[in-house]
Amino acid sequence: MERFAPSRIHFVGDEAALARDAAERIVRRLAHASRDRERLAVCLTGGSTPRHLYALLATEPYGARLPWPRIHWFFTDERFVPHDDERNNARMAIDALLDRAPVPRENVHRMRTDVADAHESAKLYETELRAFHAGGRIDKPPPLFDVVLMGLGPDGHTASLYPGHASIDETKRWALGIDMAGYEPYVPRVTLTFPALASAREMLFLVSGEDKCHAIARVMQNEDLPSARAHSEGELLWLVTRSARPAGAH
Ligand code: 6PG
C-alpha cells in the first residue's frame, strides 16, 4: 500500500467552505477535461457530507460554468433499497443536484435496486460502465472518470468497501454486490471496486464531522484502512473540515 502523503490533505473551514472548495475544483476539472473529451463522467458519493456540495453545484457561480449536456453521472456505491427510499444515495443526489440542473435523464446512471439482488445489480452496472468506457481499460489512459467523489466512514470505510471485507482486495471486477454493509445503514450494498474508482483524473475525498477525527488520524498514520487504500491514476486530494481535523494535524 502506497504511503499516505500528508500534502494530500487540505484542511478547510466549515461545511460551507468544503462545498465551495470542492465545487470550484470540480468546475475547473470539467472545464479543463471538456477541451479534449466530448463526454465527461463524474462519480458521486453517497452519505450526508456531499449534500451541501450537490446543492451548491446547481447554483451560481458554478451552474453556468458546467457543460451539463456532456456530463454523465455515476455513483460510487448504493444501498440496495428502493429508489424512492430516503436511504438511497442516488435519490439524495437527484433531489439535491440532478433534478435542479439541466441534466439529461439518460446521463444519470443509477445502480439498479429493482433487480433480484445486489450481485445482479453490480453485474449490470459493470456492463453499463464498460459500454460507456467503449471497451477501454481502467488501468490505462484515458481514465473512466474525470472526477470521483469519496466519503469516509468513522471506521475507515469508503464507498461500500469495509475494513476486513474481501471486496477491498478485488483487482478484476469493476463493481461488486455486498451481502451486508459493514456500517449503517445495515442493508446490502452495490459498490465500485478500487480499480474502477482509481480510474479517474481527480479523486476528491470530502470529510466533515468530529466523528471522523480518529479515522483521519489513522489514515495519516498509514493504517491499512480501505479509505487509505483509495488511490487515483490522476490526482488525489482530501478536503477535510476543521471539525474532523485530528489534534496536532497540520
Ligand atoms: C454510503 C457512502 C459511504 C459514505 C460514508 C460517509 O453509502 O454510506 O457511500 O461510504 O460516504 O459513510 O458518510 P457521511 O458523509 O454520511 O458521514
Side-chain angles (χ1 to χ4, degrees):
M1 186 179 86
E2 196 184 326
R3 287 194 69 75
F4 187 86
S7 60
R8 290 210 166 128
I9 285 194
H10 283 194
F11 292 107
V12 296
D14 57 13
E15 283 220 7
L18 179 79
R20 283 195 306 274
D21 196 315
E24 193 55 43
R25 288 175 188 279
I26 293 167
V27 166
R28 278 210 210 116
R29 171 62 61 180
L30 295 180
H32 189 263
S34 64
R35 290 188 204 138
D36 55 25
R37 279 160 75 116
E38 179 47 32
R39 289 191 313 174
L40 308 171
V42 175
C43 197
L44 300 173
T45 182
S48 56
T49 304
R51 199 188 295 268
H52 198 144
L53 164 65
Y54 295 166
L56 198 62
L57 275 174
T59 65
E60 300 319 321
Y62 309 103
R65 295 158 63 200
L66 285 167
W68 296 102
R70 297 167 57 189
I71 307 172
H72 285 254
W73 305 90
F74 295 88
F75 297 90
T76 60
D77 66 318
E78 187 57 276
R79 294 98 178 252
F80 198 77
V81 293
H83 283 183
D84 59 4
D85 186 304
E86 63 180 22
R87 297 167 298 174
N88 187 278
N89 283 334
R91 175 185 161 178
M92 180 274 286
I94 288 168
D95 291 351
L97 167 61
L98 303 173
D99 262 358
R100 299 165 182 267
V103 175
R105 192 46 63 209
E106 63 274 18
N107 287 17
V108 179
H109 304 265
R110 303 182 74 153
M111 292 172 163
R112 294 188 57 181
T113 59
D114 58 346
V115 293
D117 60 30
H119 300 284
E120 184 185 345
S121 176
K123 286 197 187 96
L124 291 168
Y125 208 63
E126 180 160 339
T127 304
E128 188 169 350
L129 282 168
R130 285 180 183 275
F132 179 82
H133 203 36
R137 292 172 53 155
I138 52 176
D139 58 348
K140 285 199 173 6
L144 173 55
F145 301 117
D146 293 285
V147 178
V148 171
L149 300 178
M150 304 280 276
L152 171 71
D155 61 345
H157 80 261
T158 188
S160 288
L161 298 162
Y162 301 101
H165 277 222
S167 53
I168 66 175
D169 298 315
E170 178 61 44
T171 58
K172 301 255 174 323
R173 295 282 307 276
W174 296 15
L176 288 175
I178 307 290
D179 290 323
M180 185 45 68
Y183 194 79
E184 58 195 21
Y186 292 102
V187 295
R189 302 296 188 101
V190 185
T191 188
L192 296 190
T193 59
F194 282 128
L197 291 164
S199 185
R201 294 181 186 227
E202 182 161 354
M203 177 180 279
L204 214 42
F205 269 83
L206 310 172
V207 182
S208 177
E210 273 173 40
D211 62 339
K212 308 293 173 62
C213 276
H214 185 45
I216 289 276
R218 294 170 69 193
V219 168
M220 293 178 79
Q221 287 147 16
N222 277 298
E223 210 179 304
D224 185 14
L225 295 170
S227 47
R229 286 191 184 196
H231 63 287
S232 167
E233 301 299 333
E235 288 187 40
L236 167 60
L237 186 69
W238 291 59
L239 294 176
V240 179
T241 61
R242 202 172 23 239
S243 60
R245 182 182 197 153
H250 302 293

